[in-house]
Amino acid sequence: MTAFFGSVFWLLVTLGVLVTFHEFGHYWVARRCGVKVLRFSVGFGNAIWKRSGRDGTEYQIAAIPLGGYVKMLDAREGEVDPALRGQEFTGKPVWQRIAIVAAGPGFNLIFTIAAFWLMFMLGRPDVAPVVTATPQSIAASAGIQPGDRLLSIDGRDVSTWTDSMDALANALLGRAPLPLTVRGADGHQRELVLPLDELPPGQDVGQYLGKLGLKLAPPPAVAATVMAGQPAALAGMRGGDRIVSVNGQPVDDFAAFGKLVQTAAAKSPRLAIGIERHGQPLRLDITAKWESLEGQSPKWVLGVGAPPIEAATVSYGPLKAMTASLATTWRNTTQTFSMLGKMLTGEASTRNLSGVIGIAEVANASAGMGLPWFLQFLALVSLSLAILNLLPIPVLDGGHLLYYLVELIKGSPVSEQAMMVGQYIGLALLFTLMGLAFYNDIHRMLLS
């Protein structure tokens, strides 16, 4: 499956699952409040599948899979049969209407907690936050050294690279000095401060991460495996040998070793490889071979395998997984509101918004990483949908809740004229937000 079709497929799966769950919230609470539901639709436009249930509700899947809706019996949309007036939406007490409208975002929140819980139960495979810094970067100037292990970021303990990136991305929005606790390769613990206030304003998190220069440390320059019959094995290299130089050029890590081999072999395939075995220095003369391995592009090959990156799987039992799920949901909720607030005040750039294209790309990538990662992605998108729908923008659930709160205060419903004006304003705001997110997606694609 190509990246494009994979992205489209997993986007449809994501929207299908989350929209169905959201609309089911409205449907379920409406039925409990005695409101007649005329139609439950996943998607907009013409129906590609539908059937009528025993309860009189028409269930359908529509052609445009970018949302959904629940159509209830509503006096504002036409005459209501006197026999059905007790099942009409606007005739219900305001508290029931609030419950019906809030149920959609509420069910998205329930889905978020359940998805995080299952993710922690299954175990999310990750890597340890052992890092290095690119030369002359902010991380390098702060004192990050090759092989440092991140222990905490701004007081939050981190045990995986994903947790570290999550904490860093949130901190980069605020661009304030960020305290870190690290443990060096020598075992000593140090307190550092990343001077994020030196970052220029108005850029997205991806650009800030590039300037920060903090990245996973590559594996050490150790021959973890030496393939039989390949040049390194024929020259006498063994598993466990530490590689120290290529043609006299020092080797810092396995990634640097690979680059030096390609550069040097392009001039002459015969290489002088300095190694250390049991503390003793040795020199091996190895003739690199030009070939393609496992269908990859041809390159100079020695037959040496890198040590694996240290794994750090996050996995809990049922009770601890629920505690972790609730904590993760709360943390991401506060971070999302913090980001929205910073965008409104100008502290964070609106370039951090992502639209349907960005969601599709991440959906495809996370699905390829396995079920726990896809569950995490679904949880985060579901939480974003819950928060977005609760914003006090007319046409969204939050806008309707605002109308009902006004009704509670003034003792009578908001006038139809005021609601119509609000709808137009809400549509304008929503399309502006969608357009901005779409522009950001296109801009990121052109720059990548």
Side-chain angles (χ1 to χ4, degrees):
M1 187 181 293
T2 65
F4 173 77
F5 289 109
S7 297
V8 171
F9 174 78
W10 289 111
L11 174 67
L12 295 179
V13 171
T14 299
L15 292 178
V17 170
L18 298 185
V19 167
T20 300
F21 214 78
H22 177 98
E23 297 304 332
F24 181 75
H26 292 309
Y27 166 85
W28 188 81
V29 176
R31 292 292 305 275
R32 296 304 172 277
C33 291
V35 175
K36 183 175 179 58
V37 178
L38 304 177
R39 183 181 300 134
F40 184 121
S41 177
V42 178
F44 299 112
N46 295 329
I48 57 177
W49 174 90
K50 64 180 178 180
R51 73 174 183 84
S52 295
R54 295 179 181 177
D55 55 4
T57 302
E58 181 181 80
Y59 301 90
Q60 72 173 33
I61 298 175
I64 305 173
L66 297 177
Y69 64 92
V70 170
K71 181 179 175 62
M72 300 174 226
L73 186 64
D74 194 322
R76 294 168 298 184
E77 298 178 3
E79 290 292 327
V80 175
D81 187 332
L84 298 176
R85 281 179 184 166
Q87 302 178 56
E88 190 267 330
F89 176 75
T90 62
K92 294 296 179 180
V94 67
W95 287 111
Q96 289 190 357
R97 283 178 275 147
I98 288 175
I100 292 168
V101 171
F107 268 55
N108 277 135
L109 183 61
I110 292 170
F111 183 94
T112 297
I113 295 170
F116 275 137
W117 177 77
L118 185 56
M119 178 200 75
F120 285 123
M121 285 279 291
L122 293 173
R124 185 191 66 197
D126 211 323
V127 295
V130 179
V131 300
T132 187
T134 55
Q136 300 179 338
S137 64
I138 289 177
S141 67
I144 291 291
Q145 299 174 6
D148 279 348
R149 181 186 295 267
L150 299 176
L151 301 178
S152 71
I153 299 176
D154 199 19
R156 171 185 164 188
D157 292 342
V158 293
S159 59
T160 67
W161 178 239
T162 300
D163 288 343
S164 303
M165 291 300 293
D166 177 59
L168 283 170
N170 185 60
L172 285 167
L173 292 172
R175 295 174 30 251
L178 182 66
L180 303 179
T181 302
V182 303
R183 185 170 63 240
D186 58 2
H188 290 100
Q189 191 167 304
R190 311 192 312 277
E191 304 294 329
L192 305 176
V193 176
L194 293 177
L196 301 187
D197 51 327
E198 296 178 4
L199 291 168
Q203 296 185 354
D204 63 37
V205 168
Q207 292 171 303
Y208 285 152
L209 284 171
K211 290 181 171 62
L212 179 61
L214 189 70
K215 59 182 183 179
L216 280 172
V222 174
T225 57
V226 179
M227 289 184 281
Q230 291 293 331
L234 295 175
M237 186 176 286
R238 302 176 188 172
D241 287 346
R242 178 173 292 277
I243 303 162
V244 297
S245 66
V246 176
N247 287 354
Q249 296 292 315
V251 173
D252 295 324
D253 51 55
F254 203 90
F257 169 62
K259 291 177 182 177
L260 284 171
V261 166
Q262 298 305 311
T263 302
K267 299 175 182 178
S268 171
R270 189 172 176 81
L271 306 175
I273 307 295
I275 66 169
E276 188 178 280
R277 180 183 297 163
H278 304 307
Q280 298 298 316
L282 296 172
R283 168 182 157 154
L284 301 176
D285 292 321
I286 305 177
T287 301
K289 184 165 58 175
W290 180 259
E291 69 174 39
S292 172
L293 295 178
E294 299 179 354
Q296 298 179 356
S297 300
K299 63 180 180 179
W300 294 105
V301 173
L302 299 185
V304 180
I309 295 177
E310 183 183 346
T313 299
V314 179
S315 180
Y316 303 126
L319 292 179
K320 191 171 182 182
M322 179 54 69
T323 301
S325 173
L326 293 170
T328 303
T329 300
W330 174 251
R331 184 174 64 249
N332 280 281
T333 300
T334 57
Q335 288 178 357
T336 301
F337 278 111
S338 175
M339 183 184 73
L340 291 173
K342 287 172 181 175
M343 285 183 183
L344 289 174
T345 60
E347 291 182 66
S349 173
T350 53
R351 293 181 183 180
N352 292 292
L353 286 173
S354 186
V356 66
I357 296 175
I359 293 172
E361 290 175 341
V362 179
N364 187 42
S366 60
M369 295 167 68
L371 180 57
W373 285 96
F374 190 60
L375 284 169
Q376 175 179 264
F377 166 75
L378 287 176
L380 292 172
V381 176
S382 185
L383 181 61
S384 297
L385 285 175
I387 293 172
L388 176 65
N389 271 283
L390 286 175
L391 294 179
I393 299 175
V395 311
L396 296 179
D397 292 331
H400 293 291
L401 291 174
L402 179 62
Y403 290 147
Y404 300 144
L405 290 175
V406 171
E407 180 178 341
L408 277 174
I409 294 170
K410 67 190 291 278
S412 61
V414 176
S415 68
E416 288 192 21
Q417 183 178 4
M419 291 181 67
M420 285 297 295
V421 171
Q423 296 291 85
Y424 286 125
I425 295 173
L427 285 171
L429 288 172
L430 193 58
F431 280 123
T432 300
L433 191 65
M434 292 171 61
L436 182 59
F438 185 74
Y439 169 81
N440 288 341
D441 286 343
I442 297 297
H443 188 255
R444 278 190 284 266
M445 289 176 63
L446 294 175
L447 290 179
S448 62

